[in-house]
Amino acid sequence: WLGILLVIFNVALYILFYAITRIQINSRKTLEFQATHDALTELPNRHFLNSMGGSWKKDWNRKAALIFIDMNNFKATNDFYGHRMGDSLLKVVARRLKQSFEGDIVIRLGGDEFIVLTRDHAAEVLEPKAKSFLENLKQTIELNGIDFNLYATIGISRFPEDGDDVDELLRKADIAMYDAKRRKLPFQ
């Protein structure tokens, strides 16, 4: 009997350690996801972008673009309808971004700002993509019986012409976006 009890004890111990290991692995994955993704939209966040380092440069044959997207007058929507409604709209924006920029890295910087890191580099590819997203975004969103029409302004920077790292590309795309807003253009 002692031998059978010892075998049962070892099997039980093995199952216990296996279960604990699985829980730890799943907890680690959950924590990593939470650290690198936006809680609201589940898009990657700024920390994810920073953790990429320059790996995208090597993977993408040294051609890329960063698209900076700022929602127009979104603060007024939050002020008038409340943050819960604003959060629901941001989730729709995130879905539309993922649809429009399928295969690219879509990131929520925070608030109503998003960026897309894309392998597309040429203006003849980027501009139609930007226009298509803006048209998709304009499609009426109905939430709780209220119709919303959202608009955004886009700034684009290209690697390597506009910078050699994400911070420089982000700065240049942000400048281009504000210039487009000032000039009342949808993107620049």
Side-chain angles (χ1 to χ4, degrees):
W1 285 101
L2 187 57
I4 293 173
L5 285 176
L6 191 57
V7 169
I8 291 171
F9 176 75
N10 282 332
V11 168
L13 201 55
Y14 173 80
I15 291 170
L16 177 65
F17 282 129
Y18 180 78
I20 290 170
T21 302
R22 295 302 316 154
I23 290 169
Q24 288 177 334
I25 289 170
N26 290 336
S27 294
R28 187 177 311 121
K29 286 180 182 177
T30 300
L31 288 173
E32 286 173 6
F33 184 86
Q34 289 172 343
T36 59
H37 288 73
D38 175 61
L40 178 68
T41 63
E42 295 187 354
L43 291 174
N45 61 18
R46 185 183 294 264
H47 180 70
F48 173 88
L49 181 66
N50 292 337
S51 71
M52 286 178 67
S55 66
W56 56 272
K57 289 188 240 181
K58 294 177 217 145
D59 297 341
W60 293 359
N61 297 325
R62 298 199 49 83
K63 291 283 188 185
L66 189 142
I67 302 168
F68 188 99
I69 301 160
D70 182 66
M71 304 303 299
N72 295 343
N73 302 317
F74 199 80
K75 183 182 178 328
T77 301
N78 273 337
D79 291 346
F80 193 75
Y81 294 103
H83 287 278
R84 183 174 293 151
M85 187 72 77
D87 288 350
S88 296
L89 288 169
L90 288 172
K91 289 178 185 179
V92 173
V93 170
R95 280 195 302 274
R96 291 185 179 184
L97 274 164
K98 288 193 292 190
Q99 290 168 351
S100 295
F101 295 99
E102 191 176 346
D104 297 323
I105 300 171
V106 179
I107 296 169
R108 180 174 180 215
L109 284 182
D112 63 351
E113 295 178 335
F114 299 85
I115 65 169
V116 177
L117 192 56
T118 177
R119 296 171 198 248
D120 297 320
H121 182 267
E124 55 271 5
V125 176
L126 288 172
E127 289 179 14
K129 268 185 143 175
K131 285 179 184 176
S132 175
F133 166 69
L134 292 173
E135 287 301 315
N136 186 4
L137 184 64
K138 281 190 224 179
Q139 302 304 311
T140 301
I141 301 167
E142 190 273 321
L143 291 173
N144 299 335
I146 303 168
D147 289 342
F148 293 91
N149 295 95
L150 301 178
Y151 301 92
T153 304
I154 293 176
I156 300 172
S157 61
R158 290 174 181 80
F159 169 78
E161 298 91 299
D162 296 323
D164 194 36
D165 62 33
V166 170
D167 287 335
E168 185 67 13
L169 291 172
L170 189 56
R171 189 178 72 75
K172 297 266 179 83
D174 190 32
I175 290 168
M177 185 274 302
Y178 277 108
D179 190 47
K181 274 190 189 245
R182 183 182 57 77
R183 296 170 58 198
K184 299 191 182 342
L185 299 171
F187 64 89
Q188 181 165 311

